[in-house]
Amino acid sequence: MSRWRGRGHPAWIAFLVHRLSGLALALFLPLHFWALGHAIRGEAALDGFLRWTDNPVLKAAETVLVVLLAAHLAGGLRVLALEFLGWRAQQKTMVAASAGIAFATGLLFLLNLGA
């Protein structure tokens, strides 16, 4: 059981979110290239693809994607701070700030969808 002892620590959870968000973004890349392929095929293909993406489920997925990107960016900045500033007592604060930045970015993106 001691093997799992540190798994509940906020820094470990931040590490896990950073790695999983990076994996999810990497898995998204083929879909992104597929969408770009529609633009290369011409205006009609791109317009058809954009109409398809006007689905509410895809809009929600787009928001999740933005949150994942923001979480990965904020987590990466946290890792850089660890590398260059060393271990600090404010690790939990840095984890909370990373999570706050990610969710605030997603909320701003979601609010901007209606504009």
Side-chain angles (χ1 to χ4, degrees):
M1 197 65 161
S2 64
R3 184 177 132 187
W4 300 99
R5 186 173 36 197
R7 302 288 198 239
H9 192 277
W12 189 85
I13 293 169
F15 155 82
L16 184 63
V17 168
H18 184 247
R19 296 307 186 271
L20 291 177
S21 64
L23 179 63
L25 291 169
L27 292 174
F28 166 74
L29 277 177
L31 295 173
H32 179 67
F33 294 139
W34 176 66
L36 288 176
H38 284 82
I40 293 172
R41 281 188 269 159
E43 188 176 334
L46 181 61
D47 284 342
F49 177 77
L50 292 176
R51 276 192 302 280
W52 178 74
T53 61
D54 208 19
N55 182 333
V57 172
L58 291 175
K59 291 293 183 187
E62 188 177 41
T63 302
V64 169
L65 181 67
V66 169
V67 169
L68 286 173
L69 183 60
H72 194 69
L73 174 67
L77 291 174
R78 186 190 72 82
V79 170
L80 283 174
L82 276 174
E83 289 292 326
F84 292 109
L85 302 176
W87 186 264
R88 305 256 182 206
Q90 300 91 358
Q91 283 299 306
K92 289 182 182 181
T93 303
M94 290 172 65
V95 170
S98 296
I101 289 168
F103 287 114
T105 302
L107 182 61
L108 288 172
F109 180 78
L110 188 60
L111 293 173
N112 194 32
L113 280 179

